[in-house]
């Protein structure tokens, strides 16, 4: 699982690589990020260049276009985050990836999340939102709301035996952690989880952090996908009743 920025790192400006085949787009994003104090440490015009730029400059965040000549952004994301089968998963130094595209299509969003991306933005994003998104995912959060992720997963996810094996059929989780994961995957916020399980929000956050660590997941969006792909829940299934603590 990718690591969150530590206390010292959080005070430093995020380091970003921009991958897009259009020079005007790269220039615009670089100017927007620089104006907000964010360092652009590399640029790429296709997926292969993006992978090379990341390995060379070790950024915190990659802004990755989907449609590029040669290797596209989804394949580059899979290679960077170990989701192409060549590596077991993202290492502690793996960057966060935000997918950028002009195509607001659900299948692209789901493919990006399944590849390990932490977020998805359209290219007409406002400067303020773009800079905020970079800082958000650098901190370890997912850019998409769990409810949006759940909608996408219910449409596109299928039971995946490889994913079930990767996540050990969720056997590493305690009973309470399984319940929290199920509720999280249905789009419940920390406040809603706290109310449902009669816990403090701080305790809920601890449960979520342990779930992500045990299953080697990067963020809550990835947890939603794992819950469906491993068969913990299926589209349209009722939520399990809450067990006493």
């Amino acid at each position: 699982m990718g690591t969150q920025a530590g206390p010292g790192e959080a005070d430093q400006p995020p380091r970003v690589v921009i991958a897009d085949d259009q020079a005007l787009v790269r220039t615009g994003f670089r100017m927007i990020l620089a104006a907000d104090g964010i360092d652009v440490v590399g640029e790429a015009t296709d997926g292969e260049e993006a992978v090379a730029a990341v390995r060379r400059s070790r950024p915190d965040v990659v802004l990755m276009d989907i449609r590029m000549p040669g290797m596209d952004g989804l394949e580059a994301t899979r290679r960077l985050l170990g989701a192409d089968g060549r590596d077991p998963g993202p290492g502690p130094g793996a960057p966060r990836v935000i997918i950028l595209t002009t195509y607001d299509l659900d299948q692209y969003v789901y493919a990006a999340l399944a590849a390990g991306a932490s977020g998805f933005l359209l290219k007409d994003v406002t400067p303020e939102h773009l800079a905020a998104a970079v800082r958000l995912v650098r901190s370890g959060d997912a850019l998409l709301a769990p409810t949006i992720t759940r909608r996408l997963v219910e449409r596109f996810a299928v039971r995946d035996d490889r994913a079930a094996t990767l996540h050990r059929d969720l056997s590493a989780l305690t009973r309470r952690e399984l319940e929290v994961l199920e509720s999280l995957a249905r789009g419940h916020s920390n406040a809603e989880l706290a109310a449902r399980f009669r816990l403090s929000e701080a305790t809920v956050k601890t449960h979520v952090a342990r779930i992500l660590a045990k299953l080697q997941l990067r963020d809550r969006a990835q947890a939603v996908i794992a819950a469906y792909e491993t068969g913990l829940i299926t589209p349209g299934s009722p939520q399990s009743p809450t067990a006493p603590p």
Side-chain angles (χ1 to χ4, degrees):
M1 183 184 68
T3 56
Q4 296 186 7
E9 295 174 340
D11 295 333
Q12 301 298 318
R15 293 164 46 82
V16 176
V17 163
I18 302 172
D20 194 289
D21 61 332
Q22 298 182 43
L24 188 60
V25 171
R26 296 196 308 274
T27 299
F29 285 158
R30 183 175 66 248
M31 293 176 64
I32 289 170
L33 296 176
D36 200 74
I38 295 173
D39 293 336
V40 175
V41 296
E43 296 185 19
T45 62
D46 59 35
E48 289 188 9
E49 288 186 9
V51 172
V54 168
R55 290 174 177 168
R56 181 172 59 251
S57 59
R58 301 184 63 82
D60 302 303
V61 178
V62 182
L63 298 178
M64 184 82 76
D65 187 21
I66 285 183
R67 292 192 172 181
M68 294 184 289
M71 184 191 298
D72 66 17
L74 292 178
E75 177 60 23
T77 298
R78 293 185 186 104
R79 293 197 182 188
L80 289 173
L81 303 182
D84 65 344
R86 301 186 180 189
D87 300 295
R96 302 279 170 171
V97 176
I98 299 175
I99 294 291
L100 291 159
T101 183
T102 56
Y103 303 93
D104 186 14
L105 299 176
D106 281 354
Q107 58 264 39
Y108 283 125
V109 181
Y110 179 73
L113 293 174
S118 295
F120 180 95
L121 291 173
L122 296 182
K123 288 186 180 179
D124 61 0
V125 61
T126 65
E128 295 80 11
H129 194 183
L130 177 64
V134 167
R135 296 184 185 280
L136 179 70
V137 300
R138 197 277 287 266
S139 73
D141 288 332
L143 188 57
L144 286 175
T147 50
I148 297 174
T149 309
R150 181 192 61 186
R151 172 176 61 83
L152 297 169
V153 173
E154 287 193 344
R155 286 191 59 189
F156 296 105
V158 295
R159 175 63 187 266
D160 185 332
D161 289 338
R162 180 176 178 274
T165 300
L166 177 64
H167 301 302
R168 302 182 183 86
D169 288 326
L170 310 181
S171 61
L173 303 184
T174 65
R175 180 182 178 185
R176 173 60 86 206
E177 288 166 351
L178 283 170
E179 293 168 344
V180 170
L181 176 58
E182 179 186 356
S183 290
L184 183 158
R186 294 183 187 277
H188 295 163
S189 66
N190 283 348
E192 291 168 334
L193 290 171
R196 175 175 173 77
F197 297 109
R198 299 178 184 177
L199 302 170
S200 69
E201 287 196 43
T203 300
V204 167
K205 290 179 181 178
T206 297
H207 280 309
V208 172
R210 287 175 178 168
I211 291 167
L212 298 181
K214 287 182 177 181
L215 300 184
Q216 299 182 351
L217 301 170
R218 294 171 66 77
D219 49 42
R220 294 168 70 103
Q222 292 286 292
V224 175
I225 292 177
Y228 280 87
E229 289 186 339
T230 57
L232 177 64
I233 56 178
T234 56
S237 63
Q239 179 148 335
S240 302
T242 304

